[in-house]
Amino acid sequence: MKRLPTSCPSCDGRLAVKRLRCEKCATEVDGLYPLPALTSLGQEDQEFILEFIKASGSLKEMAGILNVSYPTVRNRLDEIIEKLKQNQANLKEKK
Amino acid sequence: MNLNTENKPITLLFNPFFYVAGGKALGLGLMALLLAGLLGALGNTHFDGVLDTHTGAHVPLWIFLVEGVIDWLCMAAVLLALGMVACKTSFRALDVLGTQALARWPTVLVGLVMLPGAVRRFAAQLVELVSNPGARPAINFADAAVCCLAVIATILFVCWMVYLMYKSFSVSCNVKGGKAIGTFIAGLIAAEVLSKLCLALLLAPALTGTAFAAPPAYAHQAVESSPAQTDTAPAGLADAGVQFVNLLVKEDFAGAVARFDSTMTKVFPESLLRKCWQDLVQKAGPFKQQLKVRVKEQQGYHAVLVTCQFEHTTLDLKVVFDSSSQITGLWYVPSDSE
């Protein structure tokens, strides 16, 4: 599966969606839509968040699913939260 | 998504907390503490401080167990406090307690390598050499080799334990890098001091209740069970034991303390000796008379057992002498003749 590029290969700037296309009738919409915050995360981080939501946000259950300890899961979540905060802060600076 | 590391066996050895924490780690850690205490009791190995391992006196099993628990709790309490300051996010106290208990599991291995009698025999020979430079004790080179290997292994195991403690702190409190290392080193020093204080404050009074003795790790190799009277006891040792008891009866504690070796003088000052004797007389009743005296020998030490009749009971005062006839241990036990 192709990965959604989120940063510019030329200047590393954040990419935005310029055109959307309906899969049913092929209608195309032009505009400038910012990407959701979660897309700024890497593939593994996004998968972690997905699993976390599916586990009802239970760190304990996540630890069981991933076969690691509770603090390992919590530390990973803290890392992701830190990345999201950093990305949002960068976006605000650019604005 | 895969959170597992590439090399699981290495991770299990040096950072088991990646996989195990909380209640499970606490259960495993408590089992390790129990096992280390049992092995310590078998080999008279005391874990008398967060980082300390010493061969010492044979004391009741519960002392060995309590030493391990105090070491663990001191380290965990200090790191919990430091974690609250250093950690930006929340963490569970259970993780710190559990992983710190599990981090002490190399003490089981230390207990094992200190089991051979060769370690204690060679240690006794070294003590004799240091305390009596003129003496030329027969050195058993096999004992010396075993002892050296045990000491090297112990140092490695203690280093490993310290690394595990660090990883436990880093994982449980989510602290990394220089901040984690600096905080941990400060915590380790503080915990070592705290554990020494706790052991001195909690165990010394408890010991004076059941045994009339210095803290266990300081009273070297008190003689426990050697029924045969020795023929190798230096002349006059029985008299020295009797005279020492006479000094206690006369409450000449300064004179009694003057017969202690340097370690005993440090850990068992005159005031503590006075208190112990007075506690003993309060419990056993006023001193009546000395009934008999025996000398026993074990691993280079001589214990003079002076059977004393008190108003309510009869006790053996066990005065342990080193090779230079200085007192290195002091106990009371129920008399064999009672």
Side-chain angles (χ1 to χ4, degrees), chain B residues 212-235:
Chain B
F212 188 46
Y218 312 116
H220 307 291
Q221 303 290 347
V223 178
E224 184 56 29
S225 58
S226 173
Q229 187 157 336
T230 177
D231 295 322
T232 58

Side-chain angles (χ1 to χ4, degrees), chain B residues 32-33 36 39 47 53 103-112 157 161:
Chain B
L33 287 177
L39 288 168
F47 300 105
T53 302
R104 292 196 68 81
W105 91 264
T107 55
V108 175
L109 302 176
V110 173
L112 270 176
F157 289 142
M161 181 182 75

Side-chain angles (χ1 to χ4, degrees), chain A residues 15-33:
Chain A
L15 294 174
V17 176
K18 183 178 175 293
R19 182 177 292 174
L20 294 156
R21 180 191 171 94
C22 174
E23 287 182 352
K24 192 175 167 190
C25 69
T27 300
E28 291 189 350
V29 181
D30 265 327
L32 197 62
Y33 305 101

Side-chain angles (χ1 to χ4, degrees), chain A residues 21-86:
Chain A
R21 180 191 171 94
C22 174
E23 287 182 352
K24 192 175 167 190
C25 69
T27 300
E28 291 189 350
V29 181
D30 265 327
L32 197 62
Y33 305 101
L35 285 169
L38 285 177
T39 57
S40 66
L41 298 171
Q43 189 73 19
E44 284 216 339
D45 288 344
Q46 288 185 34
E47 283 176 20
F48 180 91
I49 296 294
L50 202 64
E51 285 295 327
F52 184 58
I53 291 165
K54 277 162 44 182
S56 309
S58 164
L59 291 172
K60 217 172 181 177
E61 204 177 316
M62 278 291 280
I65 292 167
L66 298 172
N67 207 17
V68 294
S69 70
Y70 177 96
T72 301
V73 175
R74 198 212 49 231
N75 294 350
R76 178 68 182 269
L77 185 63
D78 286 346
E79 273 174 28
I80 294 173
I81 291 168
E82 197 52 43
K83 278 184 197 170
L84 283 172
K85 282 180 180 171
Q86 194 63 47

Side-chain angles (χ1 to χ4, degrees), chain B residues 189-261:
Chain B
I189 295 167
E192 171 70 12
V193 174
L194 182 64
S195 65
K196 284 287 189 191
L197 280 173
C198 289
L199 286 166
L201 290 172
L202 298 176
L203 289 188
L207 278 169
T208 55
T210 54
F212 188 46
Y218 312 116
H220 307 291
Q221 303 290 347
V223 178
E224 184 56 29
S225 58
S226 173
Q229 187 157 336
T230 177
D231 295 322
T232 58
L237 216 52
D239 286 345
V242 169
Q243 283 166 17
F244 178 78
V245 174
N246 285 339
L247 289 172
L248 294 179
V249 173
K250 285 184 216 160
E251 302 207 336
D252 179 4
F253 300 107
V257 167
R259 296 174 182 229
F260 285 172
D261 69 2

Side-chain angles (χ1 to χ4, degrees), chain B residues 171-196:
Chain B
V171 170
S172 301
C173 299
N174 195 15
V175 194
K176 290 177 189 133
K179 187 179 175 186
I181 294 170
T183 313
F184 176 76
I185 291 171
L188 190 62
I189 295 167
E192 171 70 12
V193 174
L194 182 64
S195 65
K196 284 287 189 191

Side-chain angles (χ1 to χ4, degrees), chain B residues 41-290:
Chain B
L42 283 174
N44 292 341
T45 306
H46 291 268
F47 300 105
D48 51 333
V50 168
L51 294 174
D52 295 64
T53 302
H54 295 109
T55 54
H58 182 81
V59 290
L61 172 65
W62 70 267
I63 301 267
F64 290 95
L65 297 174
V66 168
E67 281 175 346
V69 171
I70 287 176
D71 295 341
W72 158 56
L73 287 178
C74 285
M75 191 67 196
V78 169
L79 291 182
L80 263 174
L82 288 175
M84 284 175 194
V85 178
C87 181
K88 289 178 189 167
T89 55
S90 61
F91 62 88
R92 299 189 309 178
L94 179 65
D95 287 327
V96 178
L97 285 165
T99 55
Q100 280 300 318
L102 187 54
R104 292 196 68 81
W105 91 264
T107 55
V108 175
L109 302 176
V110 173
L112 270 176
V113 298
M114 298 298 270
L115 270 183
V119 176
R120 291 189 297 285
R121 282 195 299 273
F122 187 66
Q125 287 166 353
L126 283 183
V127 168
E128 193 176 343
L129 267 177
V130 171
S131 59
N132 190 4
R136 286 182 178 273
I139 299 287
N140 182 325
F141 288 100
D143 284 357
V146 172
C147 189
C148 286
L149 286 175
V151 168
I152 291 167
T154 299
I155 291 169
L156 290 175
F157 289 142
V158 169
C159 290
W160 182 16
M161 181 182 75
V162 170
Y163 184 74
L164 288 177
M165 285 173 170
Y166 165 72
K167 291 307 288 184
S168 147
F169 173 61
S170 176
V171 170
S172 301
C173 299
N174 195 15
V175 194
K176 290 177 189 133
K179 187 179 175 186
I181 294 170
T183 313
F184 176 76
I185 291 171
L188 190 62
I189 295 167
E192 171 70 12
V193 174
L194 182 64
S195 65
K196 284 287 189 191
L197 280 173
C198 289
L199 286 166
L201 290 172
L202 298 176
L203 289 188
L207 278 169
T208 55
T210 54
F212 188 46
Y218 312 116
H220 307 291
Q221 303 290 347
V223 178
E224 184 56 29
S225 58
S226 173
Q229 187 157 336
T230 177
D231 295 322
T232 58
L237 216 52
D239 286 345
V242 169
Q243 283 166 17
F244 178 78
V245 174
N246 285 339
L247 289 172
L248 294 179
V249 173
K250 285 184 216 160
E251 302 207 336
D252 179 4
F253 300 107
V257 167
R259 296 174 182 229
F260 285 172
D261 69 2
S262 56
T263 311
M264 278 289 280
T265 309
K266 216 181 292 172
V267 300
F268 213 175
E270 188 185 332
S271 56
L272 182 58
L273 183 62
R274 178 187 299 277
K275 184 183 176 301
C276 291
W277 178 258
Q278 288 169 349
D279 285 351
L280 175 62
V281 171
Q282 203 174 11
K283 285 176 191 166
F287 176 84
K288 292 288 180 192
Q289 60 176 328
Q290 292 184 15

